[in-house]
Amino acid sequence: MSEHPRRARHRSGTGARTVALPLVLATAAATLAYGAAPGTAAPSGSPAAAPTAAAAPAWATATADGFASVDALGQNGTYGGRDGAVVTVRTQAELERYATAAEPYVIVVAGTITMNPVGKEIKVASDKTIVGSGTSGHIVGGGFFLGQGVHNVIIRNLTIRDAYQGVWNDKDHDFDAVQMDGAHHVWIDHNDLRNMADGLIDVRKDSTYVTVSWNEMSHNNKTFGIGWTENVLTDITIHHNWIRETEQRNPSTDNCAHAHLYNNFLEDTPGTDITSSYGNYSRGGTRMVLENSYFQGFKNPVIKDATATVVQRGNVFSGTSGRNESGGTAFDPRTYYAYTPDAAANVPSLLKSGTGPRGSIGTTAATGSATKTSTGTSTRAAAATTLTVAKDGTGQYTTVQAAVNAVPANNPSRVLISVKPGTYRETVQVPSNKPHITVQGTGGSRKDTVIVFNNAAGTAKPDGSGTYGTSGSATVAVQADDFQARNLTIANDFDERANQSLAGHQAVALRTAADKVLLDGVIVEGDQDTLLLDTAAKDRLGRVKVTNSYVVGNVDFIFGRATALIDRSVITLKKRWDGSSAGYVTAPSTAAGRNGILIANSTVNGDVSDRTFHLGRPWHAGGDASLDPQTTVRDTTLSAAVRTAPWTDMSGFSWKDDRFAEYRNTGPGAGSASTDRPHLTDAQATTQAVNTWLGDWTPTAS
């Protein structure tokens, strides 16, 4: 049954090349916000006074999991206001001003905001993150409303409470904590929702691509309703929520196309004045997968209509009574996203300590005590080390390289190099004996912090020992395992027009020659050979994940022998220095038996002529015939710039002798399967998927 749709030394002669790289680019795609210029001014028409401006904290770059992470309806996952300014609000007027603005914002709620009138639901606009500051962010007597078409909204780390007016099952006060009517791509995470007049969460009127995770929902009549439509369109993930002392809708899922519930803890404590009437309810045309959840004391823990389905696996029922039903067929959630459920027996203790607002989301405390990460996994945190870099001298170091140099050799744990906004014109080398380094920009946008230089392959070294060569031209070169980069731009702005006499115009922005490298929320910018994803040696494994990012270039600008996953990103095609359009996106040099480059859930576009760019060609580095280059492009939107025969030969090697394929791509550049355009079968696609490509490594931000 089909589901409803979602959806070293380098080469010789490469032809004409592009002008010097501008650091301010045109927007590459509407699906992934490129980064609004940060600032503290209020939106147009607002009063002059603005709330406190804040640097972007680590959690500002967090993105959703579950169905909220799926690319669909023109939205590349759910990342909220990550690319807008960060503002701190303390009043209802300030919160409403920024939540309703057209621009993206990360809105930090610091303190208690009491709604006036009682029941006020602020109408949140698209591209917003609303997050509590530690545990201090409280919304009292009201909540949030997400209307038709509102999308890309994150609500995290808040306590939303106390709109209850004293009448149980109150029909006159329809006050919710969070209500959606026709919204999509919404993530509700790590909140405390309680004692509201109506529902804690309502997902209504075909709202879809929603994830609700790590919340405590308590002391209410109607917990969580989903539906209010005859259509069967809603896709929702509900995981790691502690639902206690609630009567009904725990949740009730009405006409959900895909409802995935796992690792939730439903608890009804004896002797209290609130008694459960039912737990998880599958209604209408709902298809529900319910797994590894824990039900304690609930009446009728799982019920379904005759027309609905529930597939149960791995659940625990303790002291429950009444209906506990399952039946029918549902779906495989891993078709849409990767996830790893916890054991059901561990769920009560895990959720009692891990749900609700955190003092610090997405980070572990530097105290050595057991803490919770944003995924809820319990960890024992080592003392964190943070080194600050500021061009203006307000940090510990004025260059990124100086901070790298300060990291001790063979450091055993994570070191965060926190880089303040500015343009750092330098080269940076992270040697192999300095693992576990994160370089993170602290600006409101990834464009605010830029590391840039202009070496090319043919540039002479200052010591007279020759030229840099392709790999040596990199602005940032990473040889250390477990490296991460976030919220910044890495660029090579070598000026080809001004250096036509120079032999060797390859100019790398970022080279990785290491394993377990995560690039999240970055821009990697260049012309020819922008992003070199390498390994430490031909026989060494090197895995790289690029997510929520931009890669910009024109000739072989994603290349190398690493096993690389480029997921939920935008690949931007550039014209060459003389204004012509022609190029190649990838040039893999994969070793036989290894995975090469997988581009998934992304967009390929740019301001170039139609049918001028190949998706890739095989790079047999050094003429090595034993290599087996691989690029797969799947579930990706291709602009008309992509050639109808998207693969081509290179240096005497035929692409047809190597591994090049597509699967389920869309857009004007997509095409039907043919001998010039191979497509994976469904069976082949299961082995070339996001959740399997990197083997036993599951990247997590740290």
Side-chain angles (χ1 to χ4, degrees):
M1 180 191 302
S2 62
E3 307 290 351
H4 62 55
R6 307 284 181 240
R7 297 0 76 204
R9 188 149 203 172
H10 206 23
R11 300 148 295 284
S12 58
T14 51
R17 293 161 169 86
T18 301
V19 294
L21 173 69
L23 293 178
V24 179
L25 300 176
T27 299
T31 54
L32 180 60
Y34 193 74
T40 60
S44 176
S46 300
T52 306
W59 41 254
T61 59
T63 56
D65 60 2
F67 272 115
S69 72
V70 172
D71 299 342
L73 303 178
Q75 178 61 36
N76 244 123
T78 303
Y79 48 88
R82 179 184 62 194
D83 295 317
V86 180
V87 292
T88 299
V89 301
R90 295 176 174 84
T91 68
Q92 179 178 333
E94 292 172 346
L95 174 59
E96 191 161 6
R97 180 190 315 164
Y98 283 88
T100 60
E103 304 91 344
Y105 281 103
V106 174
I107 304 165
V108 182
V109 179
T112 298
I113 296 176
T114 300
M115 291 295 188
N116 183 20
V118 172
K120 171 76 173 183
E121 293 178 9
I122 290 176
K123 294 182 178 179
V124 180
S126 300
D127 305 318
K128 301 295 183 294
T129 295
I130 306 174
V131 61
S133 176
T135 58
S136 69
H138 286 235
I139 307 296
V140 178
F144 299 103
F145 176 82
L146 283 61
Q148 183 67 42
V150 170
H151 59 276
N152 191 30
V153 174
I154 296 173
I155 298 174
R156 298 186 84 194
N157 219 48
L158 290 166
T159 296
I160 307 177
R161 59 180 173 87
D162 296 335
Y164 179 55
Q165 298 297 290
V167 178
W168 198 248
N169 203 14
D170 193 339
K171 303 295 185 183
D172 297 322
H173 300 95
D174 185 12
F175 304 156
D176 302 314
V178 181
Q179 179 174 321
M180 305 169 215
D181 280 6
H184 66 92
H185 288 89
V186 180
W187 183 26
I188 303 173
D189 177 73
H190 273 106
N191 300 289
D192 178 356
L193 310 175
R194 53 184 154 94
N195 204 38
M196 299 298 288
D198 191 54
L200 298 180
I201 301 174
D202 275 357
V203 180
R204 313 191 328 164
K205 299 182 180 178
D206 300 331
S207 294
T208 190
Y209 302 108
V210 176
T211 297
V212 178
S213 57
W214 295 100
N215 301 285
E216 181 177 352
M217 293 181 267
S218 67
H219 297 94
N220 219 70
N221 177 21
K222 305 169 187 174
T223 307
F224 188 173
I226 306 161
W228 288 269
T229 176
E230 295 302 313
N231 303 316
V232 184
L233 295 177
T234 297
D235 285 0
I236 188 165
T237 303
I238 303 166
H239 72 87
H240 290 95
N241 298 283
W242 183 16
I243 300 173
R244 63 187 185 90
E245 299 310 305
T246 56
E247 182 172 329
Q248 57 180 314
R249 299 182 186 171
N250 291 301
S252 169
T253 59
D254 183 22
N255 285 331
C256 287
H258 303 93
H260 183 203
L261 283 63
Y262 71 96
N263 284 151
N264 297 298
F265 178 34
L266 278 67
E267 182 183 28
D268 186 353
T269 304
T272 64
D273 58 358
I274 299 178
T275 301
S276 59
S277 60
Y278 63 87
N280 297 164
Y281 187 2
S282 182
R283 301 173 57 188
T286 294
R287 289 188 292 169
M288 178 186 291
V289 174
L290 170 60
E291 55 185 335
N292 289 36
S293 289
Y294 198 106
F295 297 80
Q296 176 70 53
F298 250 73
K299 294 180 180 178
N300 304 309
V302 184
I303 59 178
K304 77 177 195 69
D305 289 351
T307 54
T309 63
V310 178
V311 172
Q312 286 201 47
R313 49 180 177 252
N315 301 305
V316 172
F317 300 90
S318 176
T320 60
S321 61
R323 296 166 63 182
N324 185 356
E325 300 168 340
S326 61
T329 59
F331 62 98
D332 181 2
R334 288 185 173 86
T335 303
Y336 303 96
Y337 53 82
Y339 71 102
T340 303
D342 292 299
N346 298 332
V347 163
S349 60
L350 187 63
L351 270 58
K352 284 181 179 180
S353 60
T355 53
R358 306 286 85 196
S360 178
I361 283 190
T363 60
T364 46
T367 62
S369 61
T371 59
K372 287 284 169 187
T373 67
S374 62
T375 61
T377 304
S378 182
T379 61
R380 177 67 60 175
T385 300
T386 300
L387 307 177
T388 58
V389 178
K391 186 182 176 74
D392 61 5
T394 58
Q396 295 167 277
Y397 307 94
T398 58
T399 67
V400 179
Q401 186 63 61
V404 172
N405 294 344
V407 176
N410 303 309
N411 50 298
S413 58
R414 178 68 51 187
V415 176
L416 172 64
I417 297 177
S418 180
V419 187
K420 293 186 178 182
T423 298
Y424 297 81
R425 181 160 286 277
E426 60 175 304
T427 58
V428 178
Q429 296 184 0
V430 183
S432 61
N433 65 349
K434 296 189 177 185
H436 318 305
I437 287 177
T438 297
V439 179
Q440 178 170 307
T442 64
S445 163
R446 68 194 95 189
K447 294 190 297 182
D448 293 347
T449 304
V450 180
I451 306 171
V452 60
F453 211 73
N454 61 347
N455 285 333
T459 302
K461 295 181 180 178
D463 61 4
S465 61
T467 59
Y468 283 104
T470 298
S471 62
S473 70
T475 298
V476 175
V478 177
Q479 295 176 293
D481 291 347
D482 196 22
F483 173 86
Q484 300 189 4
R486 294 199 297 272
N487 196 40
L488 50 77
T489 295
I490 299 171
N492 191 317
D493 62 353
F494 171 70
D495 188 344
E496 291 190 75
R497 181 185 294 275
N499 290 278
Q500 284 296 292
S501 62
L502 189 72
H505 284 203
Q506 299 90 342
V508 176
L510 172 61
R511 177 191 180 223
T512 68
D515 190 30
K516 299 182 179 178
V517 175
L518 175 61
L519 309 174
D520 183 7
V522 301
I523 303 167
V524 187
E525 244 180 291
D527 286 336
Q528 181 176 344
D529 294 9
T530 302
L531 179 58
L532 172 50
L533 303 174
D534 210 348
T535 66
K538 180 180 176 181
D539 61 350
R540 295 278 298 277
L541 182 63
R543 291 167 292 182
V544 181
K545 181 177 181 180
V546 182
T547 185
N548 300 309
S549 294
Y550 285 80
V551 185
V552 185
N554 48 39
V555 174
D556 303 330
F557 61 98
I558 302 171
F559 70 108
R561 63 189 172 206
T563 296
L565 168 62
I566 300 172
D567 183 36
R568 295 189 294 171
S569 294
V570 175
I571 297 168
T572 304
L573 312 175
K574 290 182 61 179
K575 293 180 179 177
R576 298 191 180 186
W577 69 271
D578 60 358
S580 63
S581 296
Y584 316 87
V585 175
T586 68
S589 57
T590 321
R594 292 253 174 90
N595 288 344
I597 298 171
L598 173 63
I599 298 171
N601 309 309
S602 295
T603 298
V604 178
N605 65 10
D607 185 18
V608 295
S609 301
D610 290 356
R611 310 303 178 195
T612 55
F613 273 74
H614 290 93
L615 291 176
R617 56 181 182 169
W619 178 31
H620 285 259
D624 187 347
S626 72
L627 298 176
D628 192 13
Q630 181 181 33
T631 296
T632 297
V633 181
R634 62 171 295 169
D635 300 299
T636 288
T637 303
L638 306 178
S639 77
V642 175
R643 291 178 178 269
T644 54
W647 313 107
T648 190
D649 301 340
M650 184 177 185
S651 302
F653 290 91
S654 170
W655 70 269
K656 293 184 178 181
D657 295 332
D658 294 309
R659 297 174 290 169
F660 294 89
E662 297 176 78
Y663 182 69
R664 286 195 320 199
N665 293 324
T666 57
S672 302
S674 69
T675 56
D676 289 327
R677 192 157 201 169
H679 285 206
L680 301 177
T681 65
D682 290 344
Q684 289 170 330
T686 62
T687 66
Q688 300 188 38
V690 167
N691 60 340
T692 61
W693 196 252
L694 300 175
D696 61 359
W697 175 49
T698 302
T700 55
S702 57

